Amino acid sequence: VQLVESGGGLVQPGGSLRLSCVASGSIKRIRSMGWHRQTPGKPRELVALIDSGGDTNYADSVKGRFTISRDNAKNTAFLQMNSLKPEDTAVYYCNADLIPFGSYYVDDYWGQGTQVTVSS
């Protein structure tokens, strides 16, 4: 199983970016997908989470600006980030709680991360 993020980059304050995360491999079912972020010297923090039914949860710092969505048929999650601020600068990681084929248990998988930099 592999998670691959894309869509990061450099954007000016107030701008927008859309991150994508594709889960591939021997996947039976994905329970939830989420986005986390990390800056140097700080712990990784949850940004947004979406479960298999479409229910979402957001960090207070991004509510009203970020939107998480997913395409279950394509095992893909998205993070639409609007009104970006310099403090949103971080490495963004995709996470999926999923059941691989051949297993009955939920495992936690992570992508390699994509850099988002908000600066003028």
Side-chain angles (χ1 to χ4, degrees), residues 24-37:
S24 61
S26 187
I27 299 170
K28 181 188 299 183
R29 185 171 71 90
I30 298 178
R31 188 174 68 176
S32 65
M33 298 186 78
W35 290 94
H36 298 67
R37 66 187 180 188

Side-chain angles (χ1 to χ4, degrees), residues 31 49-58 68-70 72:
R31 188 174 68 176
L49 188 70
I50 185 167
D51 67 17
S52 57
D55 289 335
T56 59
N57 188 32
Y58 296 93
I68 189 170
S69 60
R70 62 190 281 183
N72 291 331

